[in-house]
Every structure is written in C-alpha cells, then in structure tokens.
Coordinates of all heavy atoms in Angstrom, one line a residue:
V1 N -0.7 -2.6 3.9 CA -1.6 -1.5 3.9 C -1.7 -0.9 5.3 O -1.5 0.4 5.4 CB -3.0 -1.9 3.4 CG1 -4.0 -0.7 3.5 CG2 -3.0 -2.4 2.0
Q2 N -1.8 -1.7 6.3 CA -1.9 -1.2 7.7 C -0.6 -0.5 8.0 O -0.6 0.5 8.7 CB -2.2 -2.3 8.6 CG -2.3 -1.9 10.1 CD -2.6 -3.0 11.0 OE1 -3.1 -4.1 10.6 NE2 -2.5 -2.9 12.3
D3 N 0.6 -1.1 7.6 CA 1.9 -0.5 8.0 C 2.0 0.8 7.3 O 2.6 1.8 8.0 CB 3.0 -1.5 7.5 CG 3.1 -2.8 8.3 OD1 2.6 -2.8 9.4 OD2 3.6 -3.7 7.8
V4 N 1.6 1.0 6.1 CA 1.7 2.3 5.4 C 0.9 3.3 6.1 O 1.4 4.5 6.4 CB 1.3 2.1 3.9 CG1 1.2 3.5 3.3 CG2 2.2 1.3 3.1
L5 N -0.3 3.0 6.5 CA -1.2 3.9 7.2 C -0.7 4.3 8.6 O -0.7 5.5 9.0 CB -2.6 3.3 7.3 CG -3.3 3.1 6.0 CD1 -4.7 2.4 6.2 CD2 -3.5 4.4 5.2
E6 N 0.0 3.4 9.3 CA 0.5 3.7 10.6 C 1.8 4.4 10.6 O 2.0 5.3 11.4 CB 0.7 2.3 11.4 CG -0.6 1.7 11.8 CD -0.4 0.4 12.5 OE1 0.8 -0.1 12.6 OE2 -1.3 -0.3 13.0
L7 N 2.6 4.1 9.6 CA 3.9 4.8 9.5 C 3.7 6.2 8.9 O 4.6 7.1 9.1 CB 4.9 4.0 8.6 CG 5.3 2.7 9.3 CD1 6.1 1.9 8.3 CD2 6.2 3.0 10.5
N8 N 2.7 6.4 8.1 CA 2.3 7.7 7.5 C 3.5 8.4 6.9 O 3.9 9.5 7.2 CB 1.8 8.6 8.7 CG 1.1 9.9 8.1 OD1 0.6 9.9 7.0 ND2 1.2 10.9 8.9
P9 N 4.1 7.8 5.8 CA 5.2 8.4 5.1 C 4.7 9.5 4.2 O 3.5 9.6 4.0 CB 5.8 7.2 4.3 CG 4.6 6.4 4.0 CD 3.7 6.5 5.3
Q10 N 5.6 10.3 3.6 CA 5.2 11.3 2.6 C 5.2 10.8 1.2 O 4.6 11.3 0.3 CB 6.2 12.5 2.7 CG 5.8 13.6 3.7 CD 6.1 13.2 5.1 OE1 7.3 12.8 5.4 NE2 5.1 13.2 6.0
L11 N 5.8 9.6 1.0 CA 5.8 8.9 -0.3 C 6.1 7.5 -0.1 O 6.8 7.1 0.8 CB 6.8 9.6 -1.2 CG 6.9 9.1 -2.6 CD1 7.2 10.3 -3.6 CD2 8.0 8.0 -2.8
V12 N 5.5 6.6 -1.0 CA 5.7 5.2 -1.0 C 6.3 4.7 -2.3 O 5.8 5.1 -3.4 CB 4.4 4.4 -0.7 CG1 4.6 2.9 -0.8 CG2 3.8 4.8 0.6
L13 N 7.4 4.0 -2.2 CA 7.9 3.3 -3.4 C 7.4 1.8 -3.3 O 7.8 1.1 -2.4 CB 9.4 3.3 -3.4 CG 10.1 4.7 -3.6 CD1 11.6 4.6 -3.5 CD2 9.6 5.4 -4.9
L14 N 6.6 1.4 -4.3 CA 5.9 0.2 -4.1 C 6.2 -0.8 -5.3 O 6.0 -0.4 -6.5 CB 4.4 0.4 -4.1 CG 3.4 -0.8 -4.1 CD1 3.6 -1.6 -2.8 CD2 2.0 -0.2 -4.1
D15 N 6.7 -2.0 -5.0 CA 6.9 -3.0 -6.0 C 5.5 -3.7 -6.3 O 4.6 -3.7 -5.4 CB 7.9 -4.0 -5.5 CG 8.4 -5.0 -6.6 OD1 8.2 -4.7 -7.8 OD2 8.9 -6.1 -6.2
I16 N 5.4 -4.3 -7.4 CA 4.2 -5.1 -7.8 C 4.3 -6.5 -7.3 O 3.3 -7.0 -6.6 CB 3.9 -5.0 -9.3 CG1 3.6 -3.7 -9.7 CG2 2.8 -6.0 -9.6 CD1 3.4 -3.5 -11.2
N17 N 5.4 -7.2 -7.5 CA 5.5 -8.6 -7.2 C 5.9 -8.7 -5.7 O 7.1 -8.6 -5.3 CB 6.6 -9.3 -8.0 CG 6.2 -9.3 -9.5 OD1 5.0 -9.5 -9.8 ND2 7.1 -9.0 -10.4
L18 N 5.0 -8.9 -4.8 CA 5.2 -9.0 -3.4 C 4.6 -10.3 -2.9 O 3.6 -10.8 -3.4 CB 4.6 -7.8 -2.7 CG 5.2 -6.4 -3.0 CD1 4.4 -5.3 -2.4 CD2 6.7 -6.4 -2.4
P19 N 5.1 -10.8 -1.8 CA 4.4 -12.0 -1.2 C 3.1 -11.6 -0.5 O 2.8 -10.4 -0.2 CB 5.4 -12.5 -0.1 CG 6.2 -11.2 0.2 CD 6.3 -10.5 -1.0
F20 N 2.2 -12.6 -0.3 CA 0.9 -12.4 0.3 C -0.1 -11.6 -0.6 O -1.1 -12.1 -1.0 CB 1.0 -11.7 1.7 CG 1.9 -12.4 2.6 CD1 3.2 -11.8 2.9 CD2 1.6 -13.6 3.1 CE1 4.0 -12.5 3.8 CE2 2.4 -14.3 4.0 CZ 3.6 -13.7 4.4
Q21 N 0.2 -10.3 -0.9 CA -0.7 -9.5 -1.7 C 0.1 -8.7 -2.7 O 1.2 -8.2 -2.3 CB -1.5 -8.5 -0.8 CG -2.4 -9.3 0.2 CD -2.8 -8.3 1.3 OE1 -2.1 -7.4 1.6 NE2 -3.9 -8.7 2.0
D22 N -0.3 -8.6 -4.0 CA 0.6 -7.9 -4.9 C 0.4 -6.4 -4.8 O -0.5 -5.9 -4.1 CB 0.3 -8.4 -6.4 CG -1.1 -8.0 -6.8 OD1 -1.8 -7.1 -6.3 OD2 -1.6 -8.6 -7.8
G23 N 1.3 -5.7 -5.5 CA 1.2 -4.2 -5.4 C -0.1 -3.6 -5.9 O -0.4 -2.5 -5.4
Y24 N -0.7 -4.2 -6.8 CA -2.0 -3.7 -7.3 C -3.0 -3.6 -6.2 O -3.6 -2.6 -6.0 CB -2.6 -4.6 -8.4 CG -1.8 -4.5 -9.7 CD1 -1.6 -5.7 -10.5 CD2 -1.2 -3.4 -10.2 CE1 -0.9 -5.6 -11.7 CE2 -0.5 -3.3 -11.3 CZ -0.3 -4.5 -12.1 OH 0.4 -4.5 -13.3
Y25 N -3.2 -4.7 -5.5 CA -4.1 -4.8 -4.3 C -3.7 -3.7 -3.3 O -4.6 -3.0 -2.8 CB -4.1 -6.2 -3.7 CG -5.0 -6.3 -2.5 CD1 -6.3 -6.4 -2.5 CD2 -4.3 -6.1 -1.2 CE1 -7.1 -6.5 -1.4 CE2 -5.1 -6.2 -0.1 CZ -6.5 -6.4 -0.1 OH -7.2 -6.4 1.0
I26 N -2.4 -3.7 -3.0 CA -2.0 -2.8 -1.9 C -2.2 -1.3 -2.3 O -2.7 -0.5 -1.5 CB -0.5 -3.0 -1.6 CG1 -0.3 -4.4 -1.0 CG2 0.1 -1.9 -0.8 CD1 1.1 -4.8 -0.9
C27 N -2.0 -1.0 -3.6 CA -2.2 0.4 -4.1 C -3.6 0.7 -4.0 O -4.0 1.8 -3.5 CB -1.7 0.5 -5.5 SG -1.8 2.2 -6.2
R28 N -4.5 -0.2 -4.4 CA -5.9 0.1 -4.4 C -6.4 0.3 -2.9 O -7.2 1.2 -2.7 CB -6.7 -1.1 -5.0 CG -8.2 -0.8 -5.1 CD -8.9 -1.9 -5.8 NE -8.8 -3.2 -5.2 CZ -8.1 -4.3 -5.7 NH1 -7.5 -4.1 -6.9 NH2 -8.0 -5.4 -5.1
E29 N -6.0 -0.5 -2.0 CA -6.4 -0.4 -0.6 C -5.9 0.8 0.0 O -6.6 1.4 0.9 CB -6.0 -1.7 0.1 CG -6.7 -3.0 -0.3 CD -8.3 -2.8 -0.2 OE1 -8.7 -2.5 0.8 OE2 -8.9 -3.0 -1.3
I30 N -4.7 1.2 -0.2 CA -4.1 2.4 0.3 C -4.9 3.6 -0.2 O -5.3 4.5 0.6 CB -2.7 2.6 -0.1 CG1 -1.8 1.6 0.6 CG2 -2.1 4.0 0.3 CD1 -0.3 1.6 0.2
R31 N -5.3 3.6 -1.4 CA -6.0 4.7 -2.0 C -7.4 4.9 -1.4 O -8.0 6.0 -1.4 CB -6.2 4.6 -3.5 CG -5.1 5.1 -4.3 CD -5.0 6.7 -4.1 NE -3.7 7.2 -4.6 CZ -2.6 7.4 -3.9 NH1 -2.7 7.3 -2.5 NH2 -1.5 7.9 -4.3
K32 N -8.0 3.9 -0.8 CA -9.3 4.0 -0.2 C -9.2 4.8 1.1 O -10.2 5.4 1.5 CB -9.8 2.6 0.2 CG -10.2 1.7 -1.0 CD -10.7 0.4 -0.6 CE -11.1 -0.5 -1.8 NZ -11.6 -1.8 -1.3
K33 N -8.0 4.9 1.7 CA -7.9 5.6 3.0 C -6.8 6.7 3.0 O -6.7 7.4 4.0 CB -7.5 4.5 4.1 CG -8.6 3.4 4.2 CD -8.2 2.4 5.2 CE -9.2 1.3 5.4 NZ -8.9 0.3 6.4
S34 N -6.0 6.8 2.0 CA -4.9 7.8 2.0 C -4.6 8.3 0.6 O -4.8 7.6 -0.4 CB -3.7 7.2 2.6 OG -2.6 8.0 2.5
S35 N -4.2 9.5 0.5 CA -3.8 10.1 -0.7 C -2.2 10.2 -0.8 O -1.7 11.0 -1.7 CB -4.4 11.5 -0.9 OG -4.0 12.4 0.2
V36 N -1.5 9.5 0.0 CA -0.1 9.5 0.0 C 0.5 9.2 -1.4 O -0.1 8.3 -2.1 CB 0.5 8.5 1.0 CG1 0.1 7.1 0.6 CG2 2.0 8.6 1.0

C-alpha cells in the first residue's frame, strides 16, 4: 500500500494471492487514500 502511494502510478495491476497481505486488503487500503 505504501509503495503504491509513493510510486503514484496511473494504474495498478493487482493479484489477489500475495504474501503478507492479500489483494483484497491492499485494494481496500489503497482506496482509503487514492482513486488510482
């Protein structure tokens, strides 16, 4: 989540099955701070 916000891309391709935190959690947290 922090990396996405810092890199500030125009679009994110996001897998669901990821280590540490799954894509669902990451998507939800990104949406709290960004509309990318």
Side-chain angles (χ1 to χ4, degrees):
V1 175
Q2 182 179 344
D3 290 340
V4 170
L5 296 175
E6 289 180 354
L7 292 170
N8 192 32
Q10 271 75 55
L11 184 143
V12 177
L13 295 178
L14 177 63
D15 189 19
I16 293 178
N17 296 320
L18 295 169
F20 304 108
Q21 300 160 337
D22 67 20
Y24 291 144
Y25 172 85
I26 292 168
C27 183
R28 181 175 63 245
E29 293 303 306
I30 290 174
R31 271 296 165 262
K32 291 179 180 179
K33 300 179 180 180
S34 172
S35 59
V36 61

